[in-house]
Amino acid sequence: MFKHPLWRFCMFAFIVLSFPFSPYPLTDGDIGNWAPVAQRIQATGQLLSGINDQSHGPLIVWGSALFLKIAPTSYYALNFFNLLCGLLGVILMYYFSKKLWHQEGAARLTTYLFVTSLVFVYLSRTPMYDWPATIFYFAFTGFYMLYLREDNPKYLGISLISIAIGSMSRFSICLGLAVIFVFFTSLIYRRSWWLMVRDMGLISLSIGTLNLPWFLSQTSQNGASFIKTFLYDNTGRFIKSTRPHATYRGDFYGFSLYVLIGILPHTFFVIAAFFNRAFVQKVKEIKLYQVLLAAFLPCLILFSLSGHTKLGRYIAYVFPSLILLLGHYVYSFGLTDPVFRKKCATMTLYTSGFLGVVLTIMTIQFYQEAQQSLLFVVGVFGLLFSLLWMTYWTVKKSHVSLRENADRFLWGYAIGYLLFFGILSYESTRADFLLKVHRTIDKSLVLPGEIHL
């Protein structure tokens, strides 16, 4: 078992996502919205009738409450369920890649791209509703693809269970994306309308059945106010934010930029692989490529049209399927092509330049915060450019080894990430803008003896 590459990927992920265990830095103040709900459930054991966070689904608060039993005020315990979702994503990425392509090298390269990407590390260390929903939506798409290929009802059953679990974190998003995915895959595989409608019905039934006990309990406890908030959370939030005086946000380009940033340090792979005629031709020839596009493009397009505030985690659903597609394309048609590798070198310069401009603008925009912690700023620049250089070096100098044994390069990335999180942990105890986040979370939490049952 310990010689299996998946073990190395999981160990890398666990260490990078856990360090420095204590004090564990959390960087998103919105965690304070649901943390007290998880803490109260941990203390009372009221899974169904307990309080809710703005009528969001209960998955993350249930999972976090379980680990808060061990350490009721620990940030690491607060994130541990989210961390496990990240590890599940690693396992699924390797499994689906191996199962779909039947190539060990492709599975290693794809999983390597996933675990070393900025979006994976960030979202697995930032416990919010979207990451658990993303991982279970990814499980749904992967098992549904296997069902379509092998016509095995077992895979259909697992996919339905997966999307039902994910919906308990993001109800309408999981339901909507799953139905859209079934629609497009039915067109791609030319399935009958009856089978398409049947599967859509099974998805709706699975999601409704699993959510019904919690929904009914919340309705009986909170009445019409819960229903009103639940409906708005799953419909109206698409139009605009729930904040007072919020307006429609039309920055449609925002999420596309987040994709390029989130996929760092492999952004030049995306640009070199996807923006060319050869890739378009492969999409026409390979049905699985079309299916993977159907798994993530609708999310990117629809969310870009949303008038809500554009936060990177809102399109977390895009990344797993995108990386699954990217990994196979780079393995099969990219790294073996000298022209592609040369293009990657050129794209590295553009990516580095783009990144340098973005970081400089952000440093100027948040000049006051940058002045509070120059070490943090240096750490961000150092992390991103070291990761980018590491990826460029492996493509330029070790592309043969990267193609077949990508896991051998993991520990170079680990050093970069661990150094940064060491700096972040240190600065989170002294930099005011980071202390504000911790104060927000701490204010929402109470000592175990102070919870009123």
Side-chain angles (χ1 to χ4, degrees):
M1 181 186 73
F2 296 109
K3 293 182 180 180
H4 198 283
L6 183 56
W7 167 256
R8 290 191 284 276
F9 286 120
C10 287
M11 281 301 299
F12 168 87
F14 180 77
I15 293 171
V16 168
L17 301 182
S18 296
F19 186 81
F21 297 94
S22 179
Y24 192 78
L26 294 176
T27 56
D28 194 323
D30 282 353
I31 296 167
N33 293 334
W34 62 264
V37 181
Q39 194 180 46
R40 185 173 179 84
I41 290 174
Q42 170 265 320
T44 64
Q46 296 176 347
L47 295 179
L48 296 176
S49 58
I51 59 175
N52 67 76
D53 168 28
Q54 307 169 77
S55 296
H56 295 333
L59 182 62
I60 194 167
V61 296
W62 285 359
S64 300
L66 177 64
F67 297 103
L68 286 174
K69 284 280 187 184
I70 302 171
T73 58
S74 165
Y75 281 7
Y76 184 60
L78 202 59
N79 183 61
F80 198 71
F81 174 75
N82 192 63
L83 186 154
L84 291 180
C85 288
L87 289 177
L88 175 60
V90 175
I91 295 170
L92 290 173
M93 186 64 69
Y94 182 88
Y95 175 78
F96 289 145
S97 185
K98 186 73 177 291
K99 191 80 173 175
L100 292 170
W101 313 121
H102 304 292
Q103 294 169 311
E104 175 65 27
R108 293 189 184 200
L109 178 61
T110 303
T111 311
Y112 154 88
L113 294 176
F114 185 60
V115 299
T116 56
S117 67
L118 195 64
V119 68
F120 168 79
V121 176
Y122 172 73
L123 291 176
S124 296
R125 292 182 63 107
T126 307
M128 290 297 290
Y129 299 90
D130 301 280
W131 193 232
T134 294
I135 297 303
F136 285 102
Y137 169 69
F138 179 51
F140 162 77
T141 58
F143 284 113
Y144 195 79
M145 280 189 284
L146 292 176
Y147 163 66
L148 293 178
R149 282 188 51 164
E150 302 184 16
D151 195 26
N152 188 335
K154 174 184 71 175
Y155 293 127
L156 176 61
I158 298 174
S159 70
L160 294 173
I161 293 171
S162 299
I163 199 62
I165 295 173
S167 73
M168 298 189 77
S169 193
R170 286 296 192 192
F171 184 88
S172 60
I173 293 176
C174 284
L175 176 60
L177 291 180
V179 168
I180 292 171
F181 180 71
V182 169
F183 173 77
F184 281 114
T185 53
S186 296
L187 295 181
I188 293 167
Y189 284 99
R190 298 181 181 180
R191 303 174 75 224
S192 69
W193 286 96
W194 152 245
L195 288 176
M196 181 184 74
V197 172
R198 183 205 67 180
D199 289 353
M200 289 179 177
L202 289 174
I203 290 169
S204 302
L205 180 63
S206 301
I207 289 175
T209 300
L210 197 60
N211 282 271
L212 188 60
W214 177 78
F215 185 85
L216 290 177
S217 179
Q218 290 293 321
T219 302
S220 85
Q221 178 175 308
N222 301 301
S225 64
F226 169 78
I227 297 176
K228 180 181 178 181
T229 308
F230 181 83
L231 290 175
Y232 187 79
D233 181 61
N234 288 281
T235 54
R237 277 169 57 93
F238 182 83
I239 305 301
K240 65 177 184 177
S241 171
T242 56
R243 292 186 175 90
H245 312 297
T247 58
Y248 183 87
R249 298 284 298 270
D251 45 341
F252 306 122
Y253 59 86
F255 281 137
S256 298
L257 292 178
Y258 279 133
V259 170
L260 295 177
I261 294 171
I263 208 73
L264 281 168
H266 312 295
T267 305
F268 63 80
F269 266 158
V270 174
I271 299 172
F274 292 166
F275 295 93
N276 62 74
R277 293 181 180 178
F279 174 72
V280 175
Q281 186 59 38
K282 293 301 178 184
V283 169
K284 293 178 180 179
E285 297 172 359
I286 304 174
K287 284 187 176 181
L288 272 178
Y289 280 14
Q290 300 169 26
V291 172
L292 289 170
L293 286 173
F296 74 83
L297 265 185
C299 175
L300 179 59
I301 295 170
L302 288 173
F303 278 46
S304 294
L305 299 176
S306 168
H308 196 282
T309 307
K310 303 294 193 293
L311 297 179
R313 65 172 181 264
Y314 292 165
I315 56 160
Y317 314 87
V318 167
F319 292 98
S321 299
L322 183 151
I323 291 174
L324 189 57
L325 172 57
L326 177 66
H328 184 263
Y329 184 83
V330 170
Y331 175 84
S332 300
F333 311 108
L335 291 177
T336 57
D337 181 4
V339 175
F340 177 86
R341 296 197 302 271
K342 184 177 180 180
K343 186 183 292 186
C344 282
T346 303
M347 290 300 104
T348 302
L349 298 177
Y350 288 126
T351 302
S352 300
F354 169 76
L355 182 61
V357 170
V358 170
L359 290 177
T360 301
I361 292 173
M362 292 184 67
T363 302
I364 296 172
Q365 185 178 359
F366 299 99
Y367 179 76
Q368 183 177 351
E369 288 81 0
Q371 286 291 98
Q372 294 173 15
S373 179
L374 291 176
L375 180 60
F376 175 77
V377 175
V378 171
V380 172
F381 274 82
L383 170 68
L384 296 181
F385 282 104
S386 66
L387 295 180
L388 198 59
W389 177 85
M390 178 75 181
T391 304
Y392 169 72
W393 179 82
T394 57
V395 174
K396 189 77 174 176
K397 302 296 184 180
S398 304
H399 63 273
V400 175
S401 183
L402 176 65
R403 186 172 180 269
E404 297 297 339
N405 300 288
D407 48 296
R408 66 174 292 192
F409 299 104
L410 287 174
W411 303 111
Y413 292 93
I415 293 171
Y417 276 120
L418 295 181
L419 285 174
F420 172 74
F421 287 121
I423 293 173
L424 179 62
S425 179
Y426 171 72
E427 290 296 282
S428 66
T429 64
R430 56 186 298 275
D432 190 56
F433 70 97
L434 292 171
L435 282 171
K436 285 180 180 178
V437 175
H438 284 201
R439 291 190 192 108
T440 300
I441 299 172
D442 289 340
K443 191 181 296 184
S444 70
L445 297 172
V446 295
L447 295 175
E450 297 174 341
I451 297 178
H452 300 289
L453 305 181

